[in-house]
Amino acid sequence: MKNSKLDNVHEKDTFNTKDRYLPTKTKKGAAPAKAPVRAIRNIVKDSNDPGYTNRLLVGTATTGNVRMEWVMARYGQIIPTNWSQVQMIQYMSSYVPIHYLIDDAQNMIVKEVIEKDFEWLFLLEHDVILPPDAFLRLNEYIREGKYPIVSGLYYTKSIPAEPMVYRGRGNSFYTNWKLGDKVWADGVPTGCLLIHHSILKEMWEDSPEYNVRGTITRRVFNTPREAWFDPNTGQYNSTTGTSDLDWCTRVIQGKYLAKAGWPELQKKKYPFLIDTSIFCRQIDDNGVQYP
């Protein structure tokens, strides 16, 4: 019998990054579709190279100052077994002048997701305090791969604090739910937000390039800030808003859920899931938490 030496054998990853999605069933004669959930990769490595799967990037856009309560919540998380994550912190002062908008930092994070081929992005803002089991709950959504956009619940930094759960624009917040429910919405904040790579990739390809302090990225996130003169009325007009709701509107109107392989969710009036059991709190610079 011929023996084969197995020590120090390093087999290549058989996963094809050009065809990262599993085939789905289609009608007879139709072109094969692609599911948005990445195929399971079978990687064989020797003992000196255990390998790594770029499954989740945790991205934090911040001004650079964080409260100790945030640090304890972020780094005191219960970590699921066999967990895979990379931490990326975008300090705004490293890229932009003072008072520059947060969407630039978010776009730098998206650039990292695309270039390093991470499967999921978790946006965590520097003033949102996670519950201790947040990663455990998020891991269930990552494992199941049913929903590409999942938000935790948190409230505005105001008195009274308002839940950031939105159905529609200009009609305030949505309240027909109780704590622990899973709520469908068409507007979610980006302070505790899980996003699948496939959504970001489609948006990235459609977004214009721009320069952030010498780094070329794309405007996936954008803070509305426009002003114009209407000759018919003789009036000046302006629009302002936040990058999170602008992004949600773009996902829906641009049909990016369908483009990325989630056609059933695209049909929903409220396609984004908010898991209110992932109950976070916002904290201000003085340590006051909301609600």
Side-chain angles (χ1 to χ4, degrees):
M1 179 181 293
K2 188 175 180 179
N3 294 325
S4 60
K5 187 175 181 180
L6 296 180
D7 294 339
N8 298 321
V9 174
H10 184 165
E11 294 186 11
K12 292 183 178 180
D13 182 356
T14 57
F15 173 69
N16 183 355
T17 57
K18 294 182 179 179
D19 189 17
R20 66 169 58 87
Y21 304 126
L22 291 168
T24 57
K25 295 181 180 179
T26 58
K27 296 181 180 179
K28 187 175 181 181
K34 291 183 178 180
V37 179
R38 181 177 296 182
I40 294 175
R41 293 187 282 180
N42 295 317
I43 305 175
V44 180
K45 302 286 186 180
D46 63 29
S47 59
N48 294 321
D49 184 5
Y52 189 81
T53 299
N54 285 347
R55 196 173 196 192
L56 175 70
L57 174 67
V58 181
T60 298
T62 176
T63 57
N65 296 319
V66 296
R67 293 281 309 183
M68 180 56 69
E69 296 93 329
W70 183 91
V71 174
M72 295 297 291
R74 165 62 187 89
Y75 296 102
Q77 284 293 302
I78 302 170
I79 303 300
T81 59
N82 201 21
W83 178 252
S84 168
Q85 75 169 52
V86 170
Q87 172 75 15
M88 179 180 181
I89 301 178
Q90 281 294 343
Y91 294 100
M92 292 178 64
S93 57
S94 298
Y95 292 94
V96 294
I98 192 169
H99 302 316
Y100 212 80
L101 295 169
I102 198 171
D103 54 356
D104 286 322
Q106 292 171 328
N107 289 329
M108 295 296 294
I109 292 170
V110 173
K111 176 182 173 72
E112 187 77 0
V113 172
I114 300 301
E115 292 184 348
K116 301 295 176 61
D117 194 32
F118 283 94
E119 187 176 2
W120 294 88
L121 168 63
F122 178 53
L123 288 174
L124 172 64
E125 293 179 359
H126 71 166
D127 56 357
V128 175
I129 298 179
L130 295 172
D133 61 350
F135 282 5
L136 289 176
R137 295 183 183 276
L138 291 170
N139 188 48
E140 291 302 309
Y141 291 104
I142 292 172
R143 290 177 58 251
E144 293 174 359
K146 292 181 179 180
Y147 310 114
I149 299 172
V150 180
S151 175
L153 170 69
Y154 64 95
Y155 285 62
T156 58
K157 286 189 284 188
S158 62
I159 299 175
E162 300 174 348
M164 300 181 74
V165 180
Y166 304 114
R167 287 188 172 186
R169 300 292 182 268
N171 57 349
S172 193
F173 52 90
Y174 178 69
T175 59
N176 190 18
W177 52 271
K178 62 182 183 295
L179 195 62
D181 286 349
K182 295 180 179 180
V183 185
W184 291 99
D186 65 358
V188 293
T190 53
C192 176
L193 187 64
L194 182 68
I195 311 171
H196 192 263
H197 170 108
S198 61
I199 303 293
L200 297 171
K201 184 174 184 297
E202 292 293 337
M203 299 183 76
W204 177 267
E205 292 176 352
D206 287 347
S207 300
E209 289 186 343
Y210 75 114
N211 191 309
V212 181
R213 293 285 299 225
T215 299
I216 302 300
T217 185
R218 298 194 181 190
R219 203 175 292 281
V220 174
F221 287 91
N222 178 56
T223 301
R225 45 190 183 272
E226 299 175 348
W228 69 95
F229 177 75
D230 187 342
N232 296 323
T233 62
Q235 295 179 335
Y236 284 95
N237 301 276
S238 66
T239 58
T240 58
T242 58
S243 62
D244 45 15
L245 290 183
D246 181 81
W247 181 81
C248 291
T249 300
R250 185 185 172 198
V251 170
I252 295 171
Q253 293 182 351
K255 301 186 184 304
Y256 287 107
L257 287 162
K259 292 176 181 178
W262 313 82
E264 294 305 315
L265 288 176
Q266 184 68 61
K267 297 175 185 177
K268 293 179 68 68
K269 184 176 182 180
Y270 306 112
F272 309 138
L273 186 65
I274 299 177
D275 188 339
T276 66
S277 68
I278 308 175
F279 179 38
C280 310
R281 295 181 184 274
Q282 286 220 74
I283 188 169
D284 65 19
D285 292 340
N286 295 318
V288 178
Q289 297 186 27
Y290 305 84

